[in-house]
């Protein structure tokens, strides 16, 4: 199948407006993806020259495409460090940003440049798109494609001086929304950003914020997602909870790790249980490796196993606290993520999550 046909089929599958769909149609994905991509966790990259059909299938999947691993270096494992986001997530974020013709838009994280190109079609000839990329090699690849369509590319971690924007879209997650983003956003501007609930790895739900004050933005969470961290806020790496520790207590959780993960419940639980850090890991279980849910605080840890049994150690009633959050959400019928909103004040160390049935403060 020709690449343009693949692109046409991809945009047909998008759940979005016809205006956004038309912008996607103007910029086929394959024109922005580099010739080398990383489709596997281990092994060499997939080459467009050597394996054109496999390359095309990967590029025109509905998922993200890894376009850089290990920041351009070599390693045993291919750790993604840049990617082309999943098209549906891109469409959802663009829709949440309220893009209109004539708007000035700032994008944080150029990546391949595909998202910036789509934004340029939406703002039209009277608008502008400025995109910022910290990695010089990635920026060079994208700028060659974006210059032809009038997108301004900025290399480095800094923002353009003295510019203001009607919308800011980040294609990377942040634990703290930078003050500079609000400084350069107009009043009532959209700031669409994947919010990293933890400084460590974890959920990164997408928030569709609006600037409501010089340092304050607020708005709903629009969907769950998994984004790499902004390189100016690198992930804080911590030892997996409970490693090499002996369990002191055993108990039960209302549901097991398999159900927690298959029903995508962890982000909502993390939002309503700020005193506990939630993570996922692999552990031996009944003769094979299975995913478990780990809970951690500075003084304690707990594991939720596939059958709902728990093991824990250290201090604090972790399982009980997490079970209270579960019972609250279950009692509300597991509200959609869109029932939650986020309030950010870039001068404070607390971000507030709200829903019709409660409010929670998260340290950042």
């Amino acid at each position: 199948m020709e690449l343009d046909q693949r692109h046409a089929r991809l945009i047909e599958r998008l759940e979005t407006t016809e205006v956004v769909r038309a912008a996607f149609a103007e910029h086929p994905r394959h024109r922005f993806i580099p010739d080398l991509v990383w489709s596997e966790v281990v092994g060499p990259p997939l080459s467009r020259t050597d394996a054109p059909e496999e390359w095309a299938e990967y590029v025109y999947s509905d998922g993200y495409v890894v376009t850089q691993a290990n920041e351009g270096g070599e390693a045993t494992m291919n750790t993604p460090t840049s990617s082309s986001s999943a098209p549906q997530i891109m469409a959802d974020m663009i829709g949440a940003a309220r893009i209109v013709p004539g708007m000035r838009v700032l994008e944080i994280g150029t990546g391949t440049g595909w998202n910036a190109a789509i934004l340029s079609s939406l703002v039209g000839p009277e608008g502008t798109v400025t995109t910022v990329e910290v990695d010089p090699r990635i920026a060079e690849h994208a700028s060659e494609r974006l210059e032809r369509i009038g997108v301004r590319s900025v290399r480095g971690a800094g923002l353009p001086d003295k510019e203001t924007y009607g919308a800011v879209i980040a294609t990377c997650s942040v634990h703290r929304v930078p003050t500079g983003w609000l400084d350069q956003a107009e009043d009532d501007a959209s700031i669409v950003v994947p919010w990293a609930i933890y400084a460590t790895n974890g959920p990164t739900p997408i928030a569709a914020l609006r600037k409501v004050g010089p340092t304050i933005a607020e708005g709903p969470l629009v969907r769950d997602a998994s984004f790499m961290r902004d390189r100016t806020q690198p992930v804080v790496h911590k030892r997996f909870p409970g490693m090499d520790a002996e369990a002191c207590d055993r108990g039960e959780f209302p549901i097991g790790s398999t159900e927690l993960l298959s029903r995508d419940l962890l982000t909502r639980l993390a939002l309503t249980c700020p005193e506990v850090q939630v993570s996922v890991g692999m552990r031996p279980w009944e003769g094979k490796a299975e995913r478990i849910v780990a809970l951690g605080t500075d003084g304690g840890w707990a594991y939720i196993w596939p059958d709902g049994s728990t093991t824990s150690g250290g201090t604090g009633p972790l399982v009980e606290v997490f079970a209270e959050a579960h019972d609250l959400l279950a009692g509300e019928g597991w509200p959609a993520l869109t029932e939650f909103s986020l309030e950010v004040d870039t001068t404070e160390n607390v971000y507030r999550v709200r829903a019709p049935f409660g409010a929670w403060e998260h340290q950042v």
Side-chain angles (χ1 to χ4, degrees):
M1 186 186 300
E2 295 292 333
L3 290 173
D4 286 339
Q5 291 178 300
R6 291 178 186 269
H7 184 73
R9 290 194 176 188
L10 181 139
I11 63 174
E12 285 175 3
R13 298 193 294 270
L14 292 177
E15 296 180 8
T16 189
T17 66
E18 289 308 311
V19 172
V20 172
R21 194 186 311 278
F24 270 84
E26 290 183 27
H27 303 285
R29 193 182 200 185
H30 61 268
R31 296 182 186 175
F32 294 86
I33 304 296
D35 290 345
L36 294 180
V37 291
W38 282 260
S39 59
E40 302 293 340
V41 176
V42 296
L46 190 61
S47 167
R48 181 176 185 175
T49 301
D50 297 338
E53 183 64 23
E54 291 85 348
W55 184 92
E57 287 184 3
Y58 182 47
V59 168
Y60 278 110
S61 67
D62 291 322
Y64 63 87
V65 174
V66 178
T67 54
Q68 186 195 66
N70 310 311
E71 298 187 11
E74 295 184 1
T76 304
M77 304 285 288
N78 295 325
T79 301
T81 48
S82 189
S83 69
S84 172
S85 299
Q88 186 61 59
I89 292 178
M90 291 170 58
D92 291 345
M93 293 179 70
I94 289 169
R98 305 178 292 156
I99 306 297
V100 296
M103 180 178 279
R104 294 189 301 273
V105 179
L106 174 64
E107 179 191 50
I108 309 297
T110 309
T112 65
W114 187 34
N115 194 65
I118 294 164
L119 291 170
S120 73
S121 291
L122 292 170
V123 302
E126 301 302 317
T128 63
V129 176
T130 299
T131 182
V132 180
E133 174 57 55
V134 68
D135 189 301
R137 290 160 294 187
I138 293 172
E140 182 178 3
H141 171 88
S143 64
E144 294 173 358
R145 289 149 181 80
L146 294 175
E147 286 173 2
R148 297 193 295 267
I149 55 178
V151 173
R152 179 189 178 194
S153 298
V154 177
R155 304 184 187 189
L159 300 182
D161 293 333
K162 300 179 181 178
E163 294 280 351
T164 58
Y165 301 92
V168 179
I169 298 182
T171 64
C172 51
S173 67
V174 292
H175 184 51
R176 294 183 61 92
V177 176
T179 302
W181 296 7
L182 268 70
D183 289 344
Q184 296 192 232
E186 299 170 358
D187 292 341
D188 198 44
S190 300
I191 303 171
V192 180
V193 55
W195 178 49
I197 299 176
Y198 310 127
T200 58
N201 283 316
T204 59
I206 296 168
L209 307 175
R210 289 189 182 188
K211 182 178 177 178
V212 297
T215 64
I216 301 173
E218 60 185 23
L221 301 181
V222 296
R223 63 164 298 153
D224 216 341
S226 180
F227 275 81
M228 298 173 207
R229 193 66 52 87
D230 185 324
R231 293 193 194 178
T232 66
Q233 298 184 22
V235 172
V236 176
H237 293 286
K238 287 187 176 181
R239 188 175 174 83
F240 193 75
M243 288 292 290
D244 302 324
E246 186 173 345
C248 301
D249 298 295
R250 299 183 182 276
E252 296 290 332
F253 194 73
I255 54 179
S257 59
T258 302
E259 186 173 355
L260 284 167
L261 294 166
S262 64
R263 292 174 57 192
D264 293 326
L265 304 182
L266 287 189
T267 296
R268 283 168 283 177
L269 284 164
L271 291 170
T272 56
C273 199
E275 59 267 63
V276 176
Q277 182 160 320
V278 186
S279 52
V280 178
M282 301 292 292
R283 288 291 179 273
W285 174 258
E286 295 184 348
K288 58 182 179 179
E290 294 283 358
R291 290 194 297 172
I292 66 162
V293 172
L295 313 177
T297 63
D298 288 340
W301 62 274
Y303 292 165
I304 301 174
W305 297 90
D307 64 350
S309 62
T310 65
T311 53
S312 57
T315 59
L318 277 177
V319 175
E320 292 83 351
V321 169
F322 204 56
E324 288 179 8
H326 169 276
D327 292 346
L328 171 65
L329 290 166
E332 295 291 334
W334 287 103
L337 196 59
T338 51
E339 293 291 312
F340 295 84
S341 65
L342 178 66
E343 180 187 289
V344 168
D345 186 336
T346 59
T347 65
E348 294 188 357
N349 295 326
V350 173
Y351 286 3
R352 294 171 178 84
V353 172
R354 292 189 172 90
F357 48 89
W360 305 268
E361 294 189 343
H362 288 255
Q363 297 290 326
V364 296

